[in-house]
Amino acid sequence: MTKEHVLRLISDDCAWLVVPWGYTASGYEEVAAFLGVAQTTRTHEAAKGQHIEIDGWFTDGEHLCVEITNIASFPWFKSVKAAQRICLVLHIKNGRFDSVHEYFKAPFPISLIIRLVPLVTRMRLRRQRRH
């Protein structure tokens, strides 16, 4: 699933909380910027076995919980791939997701790098808003 697919499903007032960091992207513009930056931190090349696996999901009609394994590489170090387990808890309102809570644990060296995602997101948003 691409960033564009996800963005079609979120509401304009969506709040995406990345629990391990305590970072929240608020509103469509910030969520789109956050997902864009996050997408640039990894590659998904099917020929190299990189993909997202849906391990399980359930819903009660108001919430959707999805457990995934993200098997990817860093764009600058494509020869090494790693698997990261992620749990997304999404709230459904009027057929769209108005909140997402993302839970994961990343290995130490990777966690240092991906912690830069919120900072880069804020920088990109500031630059976009100036233009």
Side-chain angles (χ1 to χ4, degrees):
M1 183 172 276
T2 66
K3 176 184 103 176
E4 290 73 25
H5 288 112
V6 174
L7 290 174
R8 283 196 293 250
L9 300 172
I10 67 163
S11 66
D12 289 338
D13 62 343
C14 182
W16 190 299
L17 170 64
V18 183
V19 176
W21 304 335
Y23 169 75
T24 302
S26 299
Y28 185 91
E29 181 184 36
E30 284 186 24
V31 171
F34 166 71
L35 292 176
V37 172
Q39 186 175 6
T40 64
T41 64
R42 54 190 153 278
T43 63
H44 290 100
E45 296 179 27
K48 295 185 178 179
Q50 302 165 349
H51 60 283
I52 295 175
E53 295 175 0
I54 297 176
D55 301 314
W57 65 273
F58 66 90
T59 184
D60 63 3
E62 184 178 347
H63 294 89
L64 170 64
C65 179
V66 182
E67 295 176 350
I68 65 173
T69 301
N70 184 11
I71 301 170
S73 295
F74 290 119
W76 57 89
F77 203 48
K78 293 181 181 183
S79 62
V80 176
K81 67 180 177 182
Q84 180 184 25
R85 303 239 331 138
I86 301 169
C87 179
L88 300 172
V89 179
L90 306 101
H91 182 260
I92 305 164
K93 182 178 174 187
N94 299 325
R96 297 205 179 273
F97 300 121
D98 67 342
S99 74
V100 179
H101 289 193
E102 180 176 346
Y103 301 86
F104 63 86
K105 182 176 180 183
F108 176 69
I110 294 172
S111 66
L112 291 177
I113 295 167
I114 62 175
R115 291 265 318 160
L116 296 173
V117 170
L119 175 66
V120 174
T121 299
R122 288 184 189 107
M123 291 170 31
R124 283 192 181 176
L125 280 171
R126 273 189 229 118
R127 188 176 31 184
Q128 284 176 0
R129 290 174 179 160
R130 277 187 262 161
H131 295 289

